[in-house]
Structures are given as C-alpha cells and as structure tokens.
Amino acid sequence: MNLPEHMTAVCIAEPGGPEALTPCTSPVPQPGPTEVLVRAAAAGINGPDLAQRRGLYAPPPGASPLPGLEVAGEIVAMGEAVTGFALGDKVMALTNGGGYAEYVAVPFGQVLPVPNNWSLAEAAALPETWFTITQTLVMRAGLEPGMHVLVHGGAGGIGGAAIQICSIIGAHAIAVVSDTDKASYCDRLGAIATIDRTRENIVDRVMALTDGHGADRVVDLIGGALAAVNIAASARGGHIVQVSTLEGATANVPLRTMMARDLTLSGSTLRPQTAATKAAIAAHIRDNFLLPLSAPGWIKPAITTYPLAEAARAHAEMESRRHRGKLILLTPFGAAEPAS
C-alpha cells in the first residue's frame, strides 16, 4: 500500500492531567532494519502511559515521545533484516512508545501473531500486561503448577493477565478485588477464589484458603501499606512481585520476618528492558501461551473502547479505577474492523 507521509497521533502537550493529551499530526515513522511498521487498529492503555503523561516516566533513549506501549494491527512495511513476518500479517506488539497513533514502528522481536478468533481491538489488550507478568511472575519468580498466587487488582489488566497465566500453568490464583462485580469477573477469568479488600482481612482469608500455608507468589501493583500485608500472607520461601506502586512508592517492611521466612521481594519495569530481553519474553509467550489463547471458549479480557481522539477521556476513566479489564483506543482503521 502507499503509505501517507503524516498520521494522526496523540501528543502530550505538557505534563499534567488527562487534558494534556491532545490529537496531533506526526510524521509516519520509517521502520529500521530490524523493525516492522504496524498500521495500528487499536492501542491499549496502561499505567506507564499515565505516568508518562504526568512527566514521571520518560521514554528511553531513541524511543518515540508519543505515549502507547501496546498495539494490534497490520504489518505494512518491514526492514530488510526482519524474519518470520510478512506484509499484511495481523499482529499484536509491545512497543517502546508511539502506540497512540495510526502507525508505529516496532522491533520485530516484540511482535506476535494475533491469537485465533481475537479481534484486533481485543488483541491490543494483551502485550503490555502479558509481557509484564511473563517476565516477572513466570520467568523471574519461577511460577510452577500447584502454587497459590495472591493477585492484587485482579480485575485490572495486570491482574487479569496474572490470573489467566496461572490458569494455563496450573497455579491457583486468589484475586483481591473491591466489589462483587469485579469478583465475578475474576471468577470467569479463572481465579479459584476472591477476597473483597473492603470487608475481608486479606491475610486471614489467604491462610484459610491455603490451609495455613500462605501464598507462594504475590503480584502487587498497589504498594505502600500492602507490603507488610503481602509479607504476612506469604508462604515460607515465597516471592512477592512488585509491578507498580499505585498507592505508595515507599513502605515499612518487616525485614526480620522476611529473613526468617526466606522471602524474596523483586521489582522491575518493562519499558527500559533491552530488545533482547523483550524478544525473549515474546518467545516465551509464543511458545507457551498463544495456543491456549487461541482455544475455543477462551475467556477474553473485558475491553472498553474509545476513539483515538478521546484518549484524554480514556485516561480519566483509567485513573478512576472503576473499570474492569482493559481500556482500548481505536484508530479509524480499527473502528472499521468487523467484530470477532
């Protein structure tokens, strides 16, 4: 296809609230030797996008200054060193930035085929969260069949990915939620139990659900005071995975308890990882998770869509933390896609 010289994108006028996101015109990126150019149908919204908009999460050197870390769409151009893909392929991708746009260039190692029976809008909900949980919970924390996993924010994008990856591997996810609707959603995704943090004691419930053993792994994106709760709820030899700090970047940690119970607390962010690391995560997803995701009857994450030009409204909804699943921006190309 003949590519345009310019495209519609979403720019950050200056750091601030959702109103800082404004539609703009930007040059269509040119793919490098190891990149594919994706005509984006949809882009997922994630916590790091909100942090970037606030001026707290700068793009790494060489990355697009535009927000957006995951897309799904169609390959329309490729660098000469790209292998394994062809023009016209429907793909989903973890970007290094620039996803809130009609076109985005992505290293081909971070690109995956869209699972069978998934729309592009649905597929855009996967990369950032599934890469994050695959890297932290699976590859780093060594998730194994039979483990009990405490998942905070179970009804969100990260939490939902953790629940479903546990289900594939044969681990048992216990989801922490804030209301009954979110609890029902987590049940559908495969959680073995839910804990309502507004009216139940998390540690007591975990111990009751695990016959006093505790959680072998914990996925936490809340931070703050939950650090002590996670330690109290962990089994001996447990591993707490910190993926965000929505309610506190510092915490009082009972170090003696961690030492006595042989606990591990690890944290990382995905965006600064090397291209090789991101490619290794993508390969793990492709080899271990794509087949289950394509199975008939697989429960897809709930998505709520917004036009690309309404990114500010979508960010405001994300900040309210009322939603379930993922919020997705649709380009005109994506809006015209038939439903799956």
Side-chain angles (χ1 to χ4, degrees), residues 196-209:
D196 187 334
R197 62 179 174 83
T198 67
R199 59 182 182 83
E200 295 181 288
N201 183 287
I202 293 174
V203 176
D204 289 348
R205 280 281 284 143
V206 169
M207 292 303 172
L209 290 165

Side-chain angles (χ1 to χ4, degrees), residues 9-31:
V10 173
C11 295
I12 301 172
E14 59 182 16
E19 68 281 357
L21 298 176
T22 57
C24 60
T25 299
S26 181
V28 171
Q30 300 300 307

